[in-house]
Amino acid sequence: MKTPFKPIVYLLITVAFTACSENKKEQKTEVQIPDSNPVFDEAYRPQYHFTPAKNWMNDPNGMVYLDGEYHLFYQHNPDSNVWGPMHWGHAVSSDMLHWEHLPIALYPDSLGTIFSGSAVIDKGNTSGLGEGGKNPMIAIFTYHHPEKSQTQGIAYSNDKGRTWTKYENNPVLENPGIPDFRDPKVSWYDLGDGTGKWIMTLAVKNKISFYSSPNLLDWEHESDFNPTWASYGGVWECPDLFPLMDQEGHEKWVLLVSINPGGPNGGSATQYFTGNFDGKSFSADGNEIKWIDYGADNYAGVTWSDIPKSDGRRLFLGWMSNWQYANVVPTNVWRSAMTLPRNLELFNLEGKDLLASRPVKEIKTLYDNSEKIEATSHLLRDGLFHLDLKKTEGSSATIKLSNALEEEVVLKIQEDKIVFDRSKSGQVEFNQEFQAIHEAPLNGLEIYDISIYSDKSSLEIFFNDGELVLTEILFPNSPLLKLDLEGIENNGEVHYLNSTW
Ligand code: FRU
């Protein structure tokens, strides 16, 4: 069954004309023609993950919720399928799965191209940029300029993100002389007495800097965070800071820091810290490096702002690729997808607070037919599925997905680690690093449940409902539908998933 929803894809047609003025200045007018019937059926086009309609995408940006709409902005090069001058692409959704593509929100200007950042609803109109007593939507982003370096700018919208105006006194935060100074994630910090302040969490080469502001326009440096024991294999990027309840119901703060390269399985990955934030500085519990995902393909992920208290979830989305090979993966019309949306929760293992990433419950609305998996070999009917398996207690386990071309991926759960091999998964030659075998240490975690979400060119593997995660892209020449199992109970189930297009 196909869902009746159809996204509206806007085709941007640029009409250039020469004005008959003294200076013969070229002007550009953009005409947007909605194409209500896009074809999203290319060989590797994800069917229930977000992709740009055309061309290049990297990090999710400006994720904010307003009036029933999840906004997703993203790093976008509208003119090519490789990274280049960055814009903010834009889409909205009512469930984080069915997306409506909207026109580009932010274009480069004389201060630079538009790198990653966040968006908030300015409740109380602290910035004064709201019209007619409304609370504006404010985007806070990095301007990247080859000579002027990186600064932070803001833009505002008074029509639910449909049109944007850059703030006239940009940048709001000048560069202090450090080339890597980017990816502001802004949130409201409640001081508990009815007042509060904005906090900007910023990646500054290999540390996180916190700034505060009463109005999103004037920023003051508060503190830096860079403990000696953290992972410094690459540049720190795309941070996020938010509170979560621990298992005992106490508030803990979580700091996400993406790092490239230096990930546990090569290239890009996201480390996180749990601890305390007092409105000025962050202090971490323990001194252990923790990773949000051990797969190679979950980078620059951050969480949605302004999710209503009545929902209460901390919703996360990552970019499903890796800078090692993102520019050369074998797709042409578009490049890159986002991960499934995930709900972040803390759990405790041997006295440590760890972050679980659980697929959002909305995914179940895509369920079509289900089948029992009762034998050790099973032929799946379709490549869009959620496979739900229970591991046999005490033994090791192997899960293999393959096709008649002898292409395969193999997942092994051993006593102390997980091993994932995509080296024979189809098209792998485009990059040497892509063929690496990935490992995730279990660190005392006992695996009982394995949940695998398969789309046209990705597998997202959640162990124990997200206590350990591997997100992996792959490009088989035909779907991997033959399932072979060892060390798995005979009460598994597969739920086939409907496409969201
Ligand atoms: C992370 C990143 C960010 C930067 C953006 C540029 O993938 O390098 O630090 O803002 O991509 O596209």
Side-chain angles (χ1 to χ4, degrees), residues 274-466:
T274 57
N276 187 41
F277 182 72
D278 62 5
K280 287 179 173 296
S281 55
F282 180 87
S283 54
D285 295 337
N287 56 2
E288 200 179 313
I289 299 171
K290 302 170 186 169
W291 301 98
I292 202 167
D293 194 316
Y294 274 88
D297 301 301
N298 178 1
Y299 192 60
V302 287
T303 64
W304 258 283
S305 300
D306 293 277
I307 296 298
K309 281 216 168 68
S310 55
D311 179 315
R313 290 179 294 175
R314 183 48 64 173
L315 297 166
F316 168 97
L317 199 67
W319 172 46
M320 197 152 57
S321 199
N322 189 313
W323 281 116
Q324 284 180 324
Y325 41 72
N327 277 284
V328 295
V329 294
T331 66
N332 286 312
V333 177
W334 86 100
R335 264 219 182 91
S336 296
M338 295 301 179
T339 65
L340 277 180
R342 300 167 185 190
N343 179 25
L344 302 184
E345 286 180 354
L346 288 174
F347 70 103
N348 196 278
L349 181 69
E350 297 174 353
K352 280 177 284 183
D353 284 319
L354 299 175
L355 207 48
S357 309
R358 316 198 195 276
V360 295
K361 61 178 188 313
E362 284 83 344
I363 308 261
K364 294 209 166 128
T365 64
L366 302 183
Y367 279 7
D368 193 356
N369 302 326
S370 301
E371 265 167 27
K372 297 265 178 244
I373 309 275
E374 287 162 337
T376 53
S377 232
H378 190 99
L379 198 57
L380 298 160
R381 280 192 284 111
D382 187 83
L384 304 185
F385 59 80
H386 167 207
L387 186 58
D388 192 4
L389 303 172
K390 306 276 174 276
K391 186 179 155 299
T392 307
E393 220 183 304
S395 76
S396 56
T398 302
I399 300 167
K400 185 163 103 172
L401 282 160
S402 60
N403 63 19
L405 305 170
E406 295 185 9
E407 296 169 348
E408 62 179 35
V409 293
V410 185
L411 174 71
K412 286 186 192 291
I413 304 162
Q414 299 175 347
E415 207 181 313
D416 56 351
K417 64 179 177 195
I418 308 274
V419 182
F420 179 82
D421 183 351
R422 63 177 175 186
S423 63
K424 298 191 215 59
S425 59
Q427 296 201 49
V428 296
E429 303 295 332
F430 55 87
N431 175 274
Q432 206 56 37
E433 318 285 358
F434 187 82
Q435 303 168 37
I437 291 173
H438 302 151
E439 290 193 359
L442 289 175
N443 295 330
L445 186 72
E446 199 189 315
I447 302 296
Y448 53 86
D449 180 88
I450 307 128
S451 215
I452 304 180
Y453 289 83
S454 159
D455 201 338
K456 292 275 175 180
S457 46
S458 62
L459 291 176
E460 285 159 284
I461 309 168
F462 298 89
F463 299 93
N464 300 355
D465 193 19

Side-chain angles (χ1 to χ4, degrees), residues 27 33 58 60 108 125 142 206 217 263 314 381 399 446:
Q27 297 193 346
I33 302 173
N58 55 293
N125 194 15
T142 298
N206 50 15
L217 310 175
R314 183 48 64 173
R381 280 192 284 111
I399 300 167
E446 199 189 315

Side-chain angles (χ1 to χ4, degrees), residues 56 58-59 61 75-76 83-84 86 114-117 142 150 182-183 203 235-238 258 260 268 299-300 319 323:
W56 171 266
N58 55 293
D59 316 351
N61 294 153
Q75 288 286 279
H76 185 40
W83 190 85
M86 285 293 109
I114 315 294
F115 270 22
S116 287
T142 298
Q150 297 181 341
R182 60 176 177 269
D183 308 338
V235 178
W236 285 20
E237 302 184 314
C238 298
S258 281
N260 178 62
S268 323
Y299 192 60
W319 172 46
W323 281 116

Side-chain angles (χ1 to χ4, degrees), residues 83 111-113 115-116 141-153 171 173-184 202-205 235-237:
W83 190 85
L111 294 175
T113 56
F115 270 22
S116 287
F141 54 87
T142 298
Y143 271 119
H144 173 79
H145 194 284
E147 288 110 48
K148 294 184 205 153
S149 197
Q150 297 181 341
T151 57
Q152 317 316 319
L173 185 58
E174 292 282 3
N175 188 295
I178 305 171
D180 296 299
F181 185 71
R182 60 176 177 269
D183 308 338
L202 195 72
V204 183
K205 193 174 175 188
V235 178
W236 285 20
E237 302 184 314

